[in-house]
Amino acid sequence: MNMKKIVALLLMSVMMLALTGCGGSDKKDEKAAGSDKKVVLKLSHVFSPDEQLYKSMELVAERINKKTNGRVEIQCFGQNQLACYKDGLEQVANGANFISVEDPSYLGDYVPDFKPLVGPMLYQTYDEYEKMIETPLVKDMEKKAEEKGIKVLALDYIFGFRNVMTNKVITKPEDMKGLKLRTPGSKLFIDTINAMGATATSLPFSETLSGVSQGVVDGLEGSEFTNIGTKCYEHVKNVATTKHFLGTCGVYISTKVFNSLSPEDQKIVAEEFAYGGKEMTKISTESYNKVYKELESKGVKFNDVDHAAFEKATEPVFKQMEEKEGATPGIYEKLKAELAKIRAAK
């Protein structure tokens, strides 16, 4: 091989190496640019602007936007403007750029044990629930949800215990007979209200107050914060303090969407939603007495109920979850055992 050919081959080799180096640099630059790519997520819930959850979501979204320098923009839509309940969670499971804010019972369609976690007549205080969701039992449920494509960002946007709101004094399950009560579309809510003695009627919340005024339903169930925030008190004047559910929402995002964020942004999103839940629970705790007194000033009357009778009436709901809805056999006993530990540690 003559010298010219050798030189030519060497030049070609140098050029190939240079091109390869440039290609690698492009990929690195591309990857770096991808970490700064803006992601827009639509967040949906059913709450009104006067309710704390609505305000809390706005605050969390604002903090995330600021801390990510606009890389993660969360657009909040309340009052059922976008898909909610089952439909909202389905958006998440299908990988949409969507954040669903719903009662944890809706996760039960994907991981059945979430239904008994927030089952009827289970918790006596906010703190009991807060400690429960930190147990290995619940953390295992969250892992199973991730396997279904759902990342749980929080479970504790607590807005109070849910009570029965009607124009009738209710003290025992027999008093509920013949009443039609609006409930969310969750099977757990429907089964519980039916077990308590009423007839559950699923309605979008936007249609609830008109439904009460027109006699479609005789009342509804919900927290005092919902009562004051949506002016339910203008239509129903009696609250039976059944405390049949702890009113709480979880925040859910697609695992695919969450994993597409940079590690830095994942950390910010996870931390801010976790902080927002604790923040809202603190606000709810501090403001409850004020809301209670304000409702009384508007003519609302509260009455105690026979909790033992309602507990007994709703026990079959847990049994049905285990026997017909896929919940782990014995999950109710496991939850009660965890609660016993939590209460003993007080």
Side-chain angles (χ1 to χ4, degrees):
M1 185 179 292
N2 61 39
M3 185 60 67
K4 287 184 178 179
K5 287 185 176 180
I6 291 172
V7 172
L9 287 169
L10 285 171
L11 286 171
M12 287 179 66
S13 298
V14 171
M15 289 176 67
M16 289 294 290
L17 285 170
L19 286 170
T20 302
C22 288
S25 176
D26 286 346
K27 286 181 181 177
K28 287 179 183 176
D29 292 343
E30 200 174 290
K31 186 176 181 181
S35 67
D36 290 329
K37 183 179 178 181
K38 182 171 181 174
V39 176
V40 178
L41 304 170
K42 295 186 184 300
L43 182 151
S44 178
H45 60 79
V46 300
F47 293 80
S48 72
D50 289 333
E51 295 180 87
Q52 185 55 47
L53 189 136
Y54 189 107
K55 298 172 185 176
S56 291
M57 289 299 116
E58 295 283 345
L59 285 171
V60 171
E62 183 180 339
R63 289 197 293 255
I64 288 172
N65 184 66
K66 183 177 181 179
K67 289 189 176 183
T68 63
N69 294 318
R71 292 187 302 274
V72 180
E73 179 186 343
I74 298 175
Q75 300 173 350
C76 299
F77 295 85
Q79 296 183 296
N80 207 20
Q81 294 180 68
L82 299 182
C84 287
Y85 304 126
K86 285 175 173 281
D87 294 338
L89 207 50
E90 188 176 348
Q91 292 269 343
V92 171
N94 288 339
N97 280 19
F98 195 89
I99 296 176
S100 178
V101 182
E102 301 293 350
D103 184 279
S105 65
Y106 287 95
L107 283 172
D109 291 339
Y110 302 87
V111 181
D113 285 352
F114 274 103
K115 289 185 180 180
L117 171 65
V118 289
M121 308 291 174
L122 204 54
Y123 304 101
Q124 297 172 5
T125 65
Y126 295 176
D127 188 58
E128 288 179 355
Y129 176 76
E130 290 276 20
K131 286 184 168 59
M132 176 66 81
I133 62 176
E134 294 301 325
T135 62
L137 181 65
V138 177
K139 292 302 177 184
D140 184 59
M141 295 181 199
E142 292 183 10
K143 288 179 183 176
K144 290 177 180 176
E146 287 196 31
E147 292 169 7
K148 301 287 185 178
I150 301 168
K151 170 76 175 175
V152 177
L153 294 172
L155 287 170
D156 56 348
Y157 278 79
I158 297 173
F159 52 91
F161 282 99
R162 301 179 77 103
N163 295 313
V164 173
M165 296 178 266
T166 64
N167 285 310
K168 178 182 179 181
V169 176
I170 294 165
T171 60
K172 55 189 181 300
E174 289 78 9
D175 297 332
M176 301 268 279
K177 187 175 181 181
L179 290 178
K180 292 180 291 182
L181 294 184
R182 181 271 174 186
T183 65
S186 165
K187 189 175 186 302
L188 173 59
F189 277 68
I190 292 169
D191 289 347
T192 295
I193 293 302
N194 287 338
M196 288 171 69
T199 299
T201 304
S202 180
L203 284 176
F205 201 88
S206 57
E207 299 175 17
T208 298
L209 297 187
S210 62
V212 172
S213 64
Q214 295 168 15
V216 175
V217 290
D218 299 302
L220 64 156
E221 57 80 48
S223 76
E224 276 65 73
F225 295 100
T226 295
N227 196 340
I228 198 77
T230 59
K231 299 185 178 181
C232 291
Y233 58 80
E234 293 180 352
H235 304 274
V236 286
K237 292 295 186 181
N238 199 85
V239 176
T241 56
T242 51
K243 293 187 176 180
H244 51 279
F245 286 127
L246 176 64
T248 185
C249 276
V251 181
Y252 322 112
I253 188 173
S254 161
T255 54
K256 179 181 176 183
V257 173
F258 185 77
N259 292 337
S260 73
L261 303 177
S262 69
E264 179 188 359
D265 289 346
Q266 286 179 15
K267 186 171 184 290
I268 291 169
V269 169
E271 287 181 350
E272 286 304 319
F273 274 110
Y275 174 77
K278 299 291 185 291
E279 180 182 48
M280 176 171 157
T281 300
K282 185 173 183 290
I283 292 170
S284 297
T285 301
E286 292 172 349
S287 60
Y288 179 79
N289 286 338
K290 179 183 176 182
V291 169
Y292 186 97
K293 289 177 181 177
E294 187 175 350
L295 285 169
E296 282 191 318
S297 73
K298 295 182 182 298
V300 175
K301 296 186 182 302
F302 295 82
N303 69 268
D304 294 330
V305 302
D306 184 344
H307 282 280
F310 279 108
E311 284 178 31
K312 185 175 180 181
T314 55
E315 280 179 2
V317 175
F318 290 97
K319 187 176 181 181
Q320 180 171 304
M321 291 180 207
E322 296 180 16
E323 293 181 353
K324 298 182 179 179
E325 297 173 29
T328 302
I331 186 65
Y332 182 39
E333 284 70 25
K334 289 179 181 177
L335 288 166
K336 288 197 294 183
E338 291 291 347
L339 272 175
K341 292 179 194 174
I342 291 167
R343 288 166 182 164
K346 286 182 180 179

